[in-house]
PDB file of all heavy atoms in Angstrom:
ATOM      1  N   HIS Q 105     -17.882  -2.440   3.741  1.00 81.00           N
ATOM      2  CA  HIS Q 105     -18.060  -3.195   4.981  1.00 81.00           C
ATOM      3  C   HIS Q 105     -17.406  -4.559   4.799  1.00 81.00           C
ATOM      4  O   HIS Q 105     -18.044  -5.518   4.374  1.00 81.00           O
ATOM      5  CB  HIS Q 105     -19.542  -3.304   5.323  1.00 81.00           C
ATOM      6  CG  HIS Q 105     -20.172  -1.965   5.510  1.00 81.00           C
ATOM      7  ND1 HIS Q 105     -19.925  -1.172   6.604  1.00 81.00           N
ATOM      8  CD2 HIS Q 105     -20.997  -1.247   4.719  1.00 81.00           C
ATOM      9  CE1 HIS Q 105     -20.586  -0.034   6.497  1.00 81.00           C
ATOM     10  NE2 HIS Q 105     -21.240  -0.050   5.355  1.00 81.00           N
ATOM     11  N   GLU Q 106     -16.124  -4.610   5.107  1.00 88.00           N
ATOM     12  CA  GLU Q 106     -15.342  -5.830   4.944  1.00 88.00           C
ATOM     13  C   GLU Q 106     -14.785  -6.240   6.303  1.00 88.00           C
ATOM     14  O   GLU Q 106     -14.363  -5.388   7.079  1.00 88.00           O
ATOM     15  CB  GLU Q 106     -14.204  -5.595   3.952  1.00 88.00           C
ATOM     16  CG  GLU Q 106     -14.701  -5.192   2.580  1.00 88.00           C
ATOM     17  CD  GLU Q 106     -13.600  -4.810   1.615  1.00 88.00           C
ATOM     18  OE1 GLU Q 106     -12.538  -4.350   2.048  1.00 88.00           O
ATOM     19  OE2 GLU Q 106     -13.827  -4.973   0.419  1.00 88.00           O
ATOM     20  N   ASN Q 107     -14.788  -7.526   6.589  1.00 92.00           N
ATOM     21  CA  ASN Q 107     -14.208  -8.002   7.845  1.00 92.00           C
ATOM     22  C   ASN Q 107     -12.691  -7.928   7.821  1.00 92.00           C
ATOM     23  O   ASN Q 107     -12.064  -7.573   8.810  1.00 92.00           O
ATOM     24  CB  ASN Q 107     -14.654  -9.436   8.143  1.00 92.00           C
ATOM     25  CG  ASN Q 107     -16.121  -9.516   8.478  1.00 92.00           C
ATOM     26  OD1 ASN Q 107     -16.683  -8.587   9.042  1.00 92.00           O
ATOM     27  ND2 ASN Q 107     -16.752 -10.611   8.112  1.00 92.00           N
ATOM     28  N   THR Q 108     -12.110  -8.259   6.670  1.00 95.00           N
ATOM     29  CA  THR Q 108     -10.660  -8.241   6.513  1.00 95.00           C
ATOM     30  C   THR Q 108     -10.288  -7.294   5.385  1.00 95.00           C
ATOM     31  O   THR Q 108     -10.837  -7.392   4.296  1.00 95.00           O
ATOM     32  CB  THR Q 108     -10.111  -9.649   6.205  1.00 95.00           C
ATOM     33  OG1 THR Q 108     -10.457 -10.524   7.282  1.00 95.00           O
ATOM     34  CG2 THR Q 108      -8.607  -9.632   6.026  1.00 95.00           C
ATOM     35  N   VAL Q 109      -9.361  -6.404   5.663  1.00 95.00           N
ATOM     36  CA  VAL Q 109      -8.847  -5.483   4.662  1.00 95.00           C
ATOM     37  C   VAL Q 109      -7.488  -5.997   4.205  1.00 95.00           C
ATOM     38  O   VAL Q 109      -6.622  -6.285   5.042  1.00 95.00           O
ATOM     39  CB  VAL Q 109      -8.707  -4.050   5.231  1.00 95.00           C
ATOM     40  CG1 VAL Q 109      -7.970  -3.151   4.264  1.00 95.00           C
ATOM     41  CG2 VAL Q 109     -10.078  -3.481   5.554  1.00 95.00           C
ATOM     42  N   ILE Q 110      -7.311  -6.127   2.902  1.00 95.00           N
ATOM     43  CA  ILE Q 110      -6.029  -6.570   2.342  1.00 95.00           C
ATOM     44  C   ILE Q 110      -5.432  -5.400   1.570  1.00 95.00           C
ATOM     45  O   ILE Q 110      -6.009  -4.940   0.584  1.00 95.00           O
ATOM     46  CB  ILE Q 110      -6.209  -7.796   1.429  1.00 95.00           C
ATOM     47  CG1 ILE Q 110      -6.806  -8.960   2.235  1.00 95.00           C
ATOM     48  CG2 ILE Q 110      -4.875  -8.187   0.794  1.00 95.00           C
ATOM     49  CD1 ILE Q 110      -7.213 -10.155   1.401  1.00 95.00           C
ATOM     50  N   ILE Q 111      -4.296  -4.916   2.046  1.00 96.00           N
ATOM     51  CA  ILE Q 111      -3.631  -3.795   1.392  1.00 96.00           C
ATOM     52  C   ILE Q 111      -2.773  -4.351   0.260  1.00 96.00           C
ATOM     53  O   ILE Q 111      -1.986  -5.274   0.473  1.00 96.00           O
ATOM     54  CB  ILE Q 111      -2.799  -2.992   2.402  1.00 96.00           C
ATOM     55  CG1 ILE Q 111      -3.736  -2.399   3.465  1.00 96.00           C
ATOM     56  CG2 ILE Q 111      -2.005  -1.891   1.706  1.00 96.00           C
ATOM     57  CD1 ILE Q 111      -3.050  -1.663   4.568  1.00 96.00           C
ATOM     58  N   PRO Q 112      -2.900  -3.793  -0.935  1.00 96.00           N
ATOM     59  CA  PRO Q 112      -2.195  -4.352  -2.095  1.00 96.00           C
ATOM     60  C   PRO Q 112      -0.666  -4.300  -1.983  1.00 96.00           C
ATOM     61  O   PRO Q 112      -0.106  -3.358  -1.409  1.00 96.00           O
ATOM     62  CB  PRO Q 112      -2.650  -3.479  -3.262  1.00 96.00           C
ATOM     63  CG  PRO Q 112      -3.815  -2.712  -2.791  1.00 96.00           C
ATOM     64  CD  PRO Q 112      -3.731  -2.655  -1.302  1.00 96.00           C
ATOM     65  N   GLU Q 113      -0.043  -5.314  -2.538  1.00 97.00           N
ATOM     66  CA  GLU Q 113       1.414  -5.358  -2.634  1.00 97.00           C
ATOM     67  C   GLU Q 113       1.882  -4.157  -3.453  1.00 97.00           C
ATOM     68  O   GLU Q 113       1.193  -3.714  -4.358  1.00 97.00           O
ATOM     69  CB  GLU Q 113       1.852  -6.669  -3.291  1.00 97.00           C
ATOM     70  CG  GLU Q 113       3.305  -7.002  -3.109  1.00 97.00           C
ATOM     71  CD  GLU Q 113       3.745  -7.140  -1.668  1.00 97.00           C
ATOM     72  OE1 GLU Q 113       3.087  -7.857  -0.887  1.00 97.00           O
ATOM     73  OE2 GLU Q 113       4.768  -6.508  -1.306  1.00 97.00           O
ATOM     74  N   GLY Q 114       3.026  -3.613  -3.100  1.00 98.00           N
ATOM     75  CA  GLY Q 114       3.551  -2.417  -3.757  1.00 98.00           C
ATOM     76  C   GLY Q 114       3.303  -1.166  -2.940  1.00 98.00           C
ATOM     77  O   GLY Q 114       3.925  -0.132  -3.162  1.00 98.00           O
ATOM     78  N   THR Q 115       2.387  -1.256  -1.965  1.00 98.00           N
ATOM     79  CA  THR Q 115       2.109  -0.128  -1.077  1.00 98.00           C
ATOM     80  C   THR Q 115       3.258   0.000  -0.090  1.00 98.00           C
ATOM     81  O   THR Q 115       3.556  -0.940   0.645  1.00 98.00           O
ATOM     82  CB  THR Q 115       0.784  -0.338  -0.303  1.00 98.00           C
ATOM     83  OG1 THR Q 115      -0.271  -0.561  -1.234  1.00 98.00           O
ATOM     84  CG2 THR Q 115       0.467   0.856   0.579  1.00 98.00           C
ATOM     85  N   LYS Q 116       3.920   1.171  -0.091  1.00 98.00           N
ATOM     86  CA  LYS Q 116       5.040   1.413   0.818  1.00 98.00           C
ATOM     87  C   LYS Q 116       4.641   2.253   2.025  1.00 98.00           C
ATOM     88  O   LYS Q 116       5.252   2.163   3.079  1.00 98.00           O
ATOM     89  CB  LYS Q 116       6.177   2.124   0.082  1.00 98.00           C
ATOM     90  CG  LYS Q 116       6.843   1.267  -0.969  1.00 98.00           C
ATOM     91  CD  LYS Q 116       7.995   1.996  -1.612  1.00 98.00           C
ATOM     92  CE  LYS Q 116       8.691   1.107  -2.633  1.00 98.00           C
ATOM     93  NZ  LYS Q 116       9.879   1.757  -3.185  1.00 98.00           N
ATOM     94  N   LYS Q 117       3.617   3.082   1.851  1.00 98.00           N
ATOM     95  CA  LYS Q 117       3.207   3.993   2.917  1.00 98.00           C
ATOM     96  C   LYS Q 117       1.693   4.014   3.033  1.00 98.00           C
ATOM     97  O   LYS Q 117       0.992   4.026   2.026  1.00 98.00           O
ATOM     98  CB  LYS Q 117       3.719   5.406   2.611  1.00 98.00           C
ATOM     99  CG  LYS Q 117       3.309   6.441   3.619  1.00 98.00           C
ATOM    100  CD  LYS Q 117       3.810   7.829   3.237  1.00 98.00           C
ATOM    101  CE  LYS Q 117       3.348   8.854   4.271  1.00 98.00           C
ATOM    102  NZ  LYS Q 117       3.746  10.214   3.897  1.00 98.00           N
ATOM    103  N   ILE Q 118       1.212   4.041   4.269  1.00 98.00           N
ATOM    104  CA  ILE Q 118      -0.200   4.271   4.534  1.00 98.00           C
ATOM    105  C   ILE Q 118      -0.302   5.682   5.078  1.00 98.00           C
ATOM    106  O   ILE Q 118       0.325   6.025   6.091  1.00 98.00           O
ATOM    107  CB  ILE Q 118      -0.770   3.237   5.518  1.00 98.00           C
ATOM    108  CG1 ILE Q 118      -0.675   1.840   4.894  1.00 98.00           C
ATOM    109  CG2 ILE Q 118      -2.216   3.589   5.874  1.00 98.00           C
ATOM    110  CD1 ILE Q 118      -1.049   0.720   5.821  1.00 98.00           C
ATOM    111  N   GLY Q 119      -1.052   6.533   4.400  1.00 96.00           N
ATOM    112  CA  GLY Q 119      -1.114   7.947   4.715  1.00 96.00           C
ATOM    113  C   GLY Q 119      -1.869   8.274   5.996  1.00 96.00           C
ATOM    114  O   GLY Q 119      -2.590   7.447   6.563  1.00 96.00           O
ATOM    115  N   GLU Q 120      -1.711   9.525   6.425  1.00 94.00           N
ATOM    116  CA  GLU Q 120      -2.376  10.034   7.622  1.00 94.00           C
ATOM    117  C   GLU Q 120      -3.890   9.903   7.474  1.00 94.00           C
ATOM    118  O   GLU Q 120      -4.434  10.231   6.431  1.00 94.00           O
ATOM    119  CB  GLU Q 120      -2.003  11.495   7.848  1.00 94.00           C
ATOM    120  CG  GLU Q 120      -0.536  11.697   8.134  1.00 94.00           C
ATOM    121  CD  GLU Q 120      -0.155  13.155   8.323  1.00 94.00           C
ATOM    122  OE1 GLU Q 120      -1.042  14.033   8.282  1.00 94.00           O
ATOM    123  OE2 GLU Q 120       1.038  13.416   8.513  1.00 94.00           O
ATOM    124  N   TRP Q 121      -4.540   9.389   8.522  1.00 93.00           N
ATOM    125  CA  TRP Q 121      -5.998   9.263   8.607  1.00 93.00           C
ATOM    126  C   TRP Q 121      -6.602   8.310   7.574  1.00 93.00           C
ATOM    127  O   TRP Q 121      -7.814   8.269   7.404  1.00 93.00           O
ATOM    128  CB  TRP Q 121      -6.675  10.630   8.481  1.00 93.00           C
ATOM    129  CG  TRP Q 121      -6.212  11.647   9.480  1.00 93.00           C
ATOM    130  CD1 TRP Q 121      -5.269  12.613   9.257  1.00 93.00           C
ATOM    131  CD2 TRP Q 121      -6.638  11.799  10.829  1.00 93.00           C
ATOM    132  NE1 TRP Q 121      -5.094  13.365  10.402  1.00 93.00           N
ATOM    133  CE2 TRP Q 121      -5.935  12.888  11.383  1.00 93.00           C
ATOM    134  CE3 TRP Q 121      -7.561  11.134  11.627  1.00 93.00           C
ATOM    135  CZ2 TRP Q 121      -6.111  13.310  12.692  1.00 93.00           C
ATOM    136  CZ3 TRP Q 121      -7.748  11.560  12.929  1.00 93.00           C
ATOM    137  CH2 TRP Q 121      -7.020  12.634  13.455  1.00 93.00           C
ATOM    138  N   ALA Q 122      -5.808   7.525   6.892  1.00 94.00           N
ATOM    139  CA  ALA Q 122      -6.288   6.705   5.770  1.00 94.00           C
ATOM    140  C   ALA Q 122      -7.419   5.749   6.141  1.00 94.00           C
ATOM    141  O   ALA Q 122      -8.316   5.506   5.334  1.00 94.00           O
ATOM    142  CB  ALA Q 122      -5.136   5.920   5.157  1.00 94.00           C
ATOM    143  N   PHE Q 123      -7.396   5.182   7.329  1.00 93.00           N
ATOM    144  CA  PHE Q 123      -8.415   4.225   7.775  1.00 93.00           C
ATOM    145  C   PHE Q 123      -9.127   4.699   9.042  1.00 93.00           C
ATOM    146  O   PHE Q 123      -9.919   3.964   9.622  1.00 93.00           O
ATOM    147  CB  PHE Q 123      -7.771   2.865   8.082  1.00 93.00           C
ATOM    148  CG  PHE Q 123      -7.315   2.098   6.878  1.00 93.00           C
ATOM    149  CD1 PHE Q 123      -6.059   2.323   6.338  1.00 93.00           C
ATOM    150  CD2 PHE Q 123      -8.128   1.144   6.288  1.00 93.00           C
ATOM    151  CE1 PHE Q 123      -5.616   1.605   5.242  1.00 93.00           C
ATOM    152  CE2 PHE Q 123      -7.699   0.426   5.190  1.00 93.00           C
ATOM    153  CZ  PHE Q 123      -6.438   0.659   4.665  1.00 93.00           C
TER     154      PHE Q 123
END
Side-chain angles (χ1 to χ4, degrees):
H105 300 288
E106 300 174 332
N107 291 328
T108 300
V109 171
I110 300 172
I111 297 176
E113 196 59 49
T115 304
K116 292 183 178 185
K117 178 182 179 183
I118 297 173
E120 296 179 3
W121 304 98
F123 288 86

